[in-house]
Structures are given as C-alpha cells and as structure tokens.
C-alpha cells in the first residue's frame, strides 16, 4: 500500500483528517502522528498588520517539521518581507528553497503613493529529502492561443502570400507559468486575507499525491481544505480564531459555487 494511504488511514482512524481543529497550531500539531503529512500549504500570520490575530507565531516550523514526511514540500504565502524571515528557521528544520510563484491580483490593498502599485504576493516552496524522490506533479495549461508564426526566411514570392507564415494551433499542454493571474476575493471575502481557490489548488495538485494529506496550520476561512477536497486530497487544518470556523462553513458553500462557475 502506498505510504500516503497508510498515513491517511491512520489520521482518519484517529478523527484528525478532513477537518479543522480549533486552537493554537503549535499545541495541536503534537496530536498528529510523526511523519504523517505529505505537504504543508499555508498562509501564516505575518505580524505586520494591525489585525488582532496577526501576531508572529514563533515555533510553528519545528512543530510542522515533526509531522511532515522525510520527503515533503512546504508552500508558504506572504510578502517577500515576511517570507525572507522564514529562511533561517526553515533551514534549521532541514528544508531548502525550491522555487516560488507569484500571485498576480487584479488589484491590491494598502497602496503607498511613493512606491510601485503592489498587486502581487509570493508563495515559496521549501522541500526536504532528495528532490528526485519528492512528489511533484508539474501542472499544465491548455490556454495557449493559436498564433501566426512568421518564417524568418520568407520564400521567394510565388503569388501565395500564405507561404510566408503558418498558424500554430498546438496550444498545449504547457507547463503552468510561475506567475498566476487569479482574481482576489475583494468584495466577497469573509476573512481579511482570504486566498482564492484558484491560487491554492495548483500548489496542492503539484505537491500532494492523490489521497495524500495536506496540512494548513493557519486555515483561516478554510481555503486549503476546500481546495484539497476538490482535488481528492485529504486535509488537516488548525485555526485559533473561533470566528473562522463559521467563515469556513460559509466559505465552503462559496467554494462550491466557484467550482460550478469555473
Ligand atoms: C493569513 S490568515 C490565513 C487566511 C487563509 N489563508 C484564508 O484563505 O482564509 C492566518 C490565520 O492564522 C490564524 N492564526 C494565527 N495564529 C495562529 C496559531 N498560533 N494557531 C492557529 N491559527 C493561528 C489567524 O487567526 C488567521 O485566521
């Protein structure tokens, strides 16, 4: 039986799987079996806003490290200013930088008139174990448009103008670009830093095997859990704010609507 199926069975048997647990993730992670989780996809508190919950959470990295499998990915969302502060703790826990993606939003928040208009966020992938053995499913798109290719060397004029170019319709599949244009949740978000499903789903699909477990220690309105369910992955979430549990129920309904509209 595949390794990830055994972990999922164990977590299911102990009632840990496919649900959010209310409380401080550092304490709650102690209840998870060691080496049981395939990947983490999370959006931790950044400690740089005035929001009540936005306090830096020291100590979540070693706690997370214990429950992850020896070969595993960790995706962390945030600004570069926030993510840069994680590198040392991630290295201490045995993780290396792998790659990053840019989430391009249609608009941003907190504009400063004396800077570039900020409309993006990063998600950085760390990993441990041998890269070759790490689960990865490169994501593909089929959205390349048919295009007219001009030949560099035009043939001598034959009266057939079409001989100088051709239409390429091999629009895909191609590797998904590292800059993902996904509309943010402005106007309908329940959580102030709610992530859209469209930015979280490719990361889970890439890093968590079907039937495997993704952990989000800072689940907020539940994005990672909804995305995991849609992709046929198991999930475990932690969240310290009781108000978020109510948001998760509402968000789950929104998530279904998003999928139907896609
Ligand atoms: C940036 S938000 C996550 C938002 C989420 N990605 C979403 O789409 O809704 C971080 C969340 O972590 C929660 N949080 C902060 N410290 C925590 C802790 N020690 N344990 C568990 N949750 C915590 C906050 O209440 C907040 O909801």
């Amino acid at each position: 039986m595949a390794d990830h199926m055994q972990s999922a069975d164990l977590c299911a048997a102990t009632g840990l799987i496919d649900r959010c647990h209310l409380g401080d993730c550092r304490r709650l992670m102690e209840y998870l079996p060691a080496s049981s989780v395939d990947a983490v996809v999370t959006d931790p508190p950044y400690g740089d806003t005035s929001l009540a919950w936005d306090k830096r959470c020291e100590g979540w990295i070693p706690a997370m490290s214990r429950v992850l499998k020896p070969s595993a990915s960790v995706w962390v969302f945030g600004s570069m200013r926030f993510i840069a502060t994680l590198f040392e703790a991630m290295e201490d826990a045995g993780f290396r930088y792998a790659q990053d993606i840019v989430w391009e939003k249609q608009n941003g928040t907190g504009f400063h008139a004396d800077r570039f208009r900020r409309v993006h966020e990063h998600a950085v992938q760390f990993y441990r174990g041998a890269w070759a053995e790490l689960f990865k499913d490169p994501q593909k798109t089929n959205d390349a448009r048919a295009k007219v290719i001009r030949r560099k060397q035009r043939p001598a004029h034959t009266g057939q103008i079409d001989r100088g170019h051709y239409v390429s319709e091999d629009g895909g599949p191609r590797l998904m670009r590292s800059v993902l244009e996904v509309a943010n949740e402005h106007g309908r978000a329940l959580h102030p830093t709610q992530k859209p499903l469209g930015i979280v789903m490719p990361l889970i699909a890439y890093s968590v095997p079907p039937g495997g477990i993704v952990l989000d220690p800072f689940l907020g309105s539940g994005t990672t859990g909804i995305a995991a369910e849609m992709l046929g992955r198991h999930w475990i979430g932690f969240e310290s704010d009781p108000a978020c549990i109510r948001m998760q129920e509402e968000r789950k309904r929104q998530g279904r609507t998003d999928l139907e509209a896609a």
Side-chain angles (χ1 to χ4, degrees):
M1 187 190 290
D3 192 27
H4 61 267
M5 291 308 289
Q6 288 173 348
S7 307
D9 290 347
L10 177 61
C11 290
T14 46
L16 293 164
I17 211 169
D18 298 333
R19 50 178 291 219
C20 179
H21 306 267
L22 179 63
D24 189 312
C25 65
R26 292 164 291 192
R27 187 179 58 79
L28 292 174
M29 276 191 271
E30 290 171 14
Y31 292 92
L32 298 186
S35 309
S36 57
V37 166
D38 292 277
V40 165
V41 175
T42 196
D43 177 25
Y46 326 110
D48 64 0
T49 73
S50 56
L51 294 163
W53 53 260
D54 194 15
K55 306 279 182 294
R56 285 294 293 249
C57 179
E58 306 299 339
W60 72 274
I61 291 173
M64 165 204 74
S65 171
R66 187 189 70 81
V67 304
L68 271 173
K69 290 182 175 170
S71 179
S73 289
V74 178
W75 285 94
V76 185
F77 277 94
S79 65
M80 196 50 76
R81 182 166 57 171
F82 168 69
I83 290 172
T85 65
L86 299 180
F87 270 73
E88 200 178 325
M90 288 301 286
E91 279 168 17
D92 287 350
F95 293 90
R96 277 167 284 174
Y97 164 85
Q99 60 179 323
D100 57 277
I101 60 118
V102 172
W103 169 27
E104 184 184 347
K105 315 168 186 185
Q106 80 279 29
N107 53 32
T109 50
F111 295 144
H112 296 274
D114 58 351
R115 302 183 192 188
F116 288 91
R117 190 160 63 92
R118 185 180 172 78
V119 291
H120 76 280
E121 222 173 279
H122 295 269
V124 172
Q125 182 196 12
F126 298 92
Y127 76 103
R128 72 176 176 202
W131 178 254
E133 283 162 27
L134 187 71
F135 177 85
K136 7 180 178 45
D137 183 5
Q139 298 298 291
K140 305 274 177 33
T141 52
N142 283 302
D143 56 358
R145 287 186 215 108
K147 58 185 177 189
V148 175
I149 308 289
R150 302 265 170 214
R151 292 187 203 283
K152 280 196 177 129
Q153 284 255 290
R154 289 185 157 240
H157 182 61
T158 60
Q160 290 177 285
I161 198 94
D162 285 353
R163 294 279 303 275
H165 67 266
Y166 66 97
V167 175
S168 166
E169 293 188 2
D170 60 342
R174 296 174 190 225
L175 278 182
M176 191 175 274
R177 286 159 44 88
S178 62
V179 176
L180 283 82
E181 203 182 326
V182 180
N184 62 25
E185 304 277 280
H186 284 177
R188 64 174 186 164
L190 301 168
H191 192 288
T193 61
Q194 184 168 310
K195 296 289 169 289
L197 293 169
I199 196 66
V200 174
M201 286 176 80
L203 309 186
I204 295 176
Y206 176 81
S207 297
V208 186
I213 303 175
V214 57
L215 167 69
D216 187 346
F218 306 101
L219 190 65
S221 60
T223 312
T224 304
I226 298 166
E229 275 179 24
M230 286 175 163
L231 291 164
R233 272 67 168 176
H234 293 291
W235 60 280
I236 298 172
F238 299 119
E239 172 55 54
S240 58
D241 183 352
C244 287
I245 306 297
R246 290 189 292 280
M247 291 179 205
Q248 288 166 21
E249 287 308 313
E250 175 59 22
R251 183 78 202 290
K252 212 167 172 177
R253 285 193 288 276
Q254 282 187 6
R256 301 292 177 223
T257 308
D258 286 350
L259 187 65
E260 284 156 15

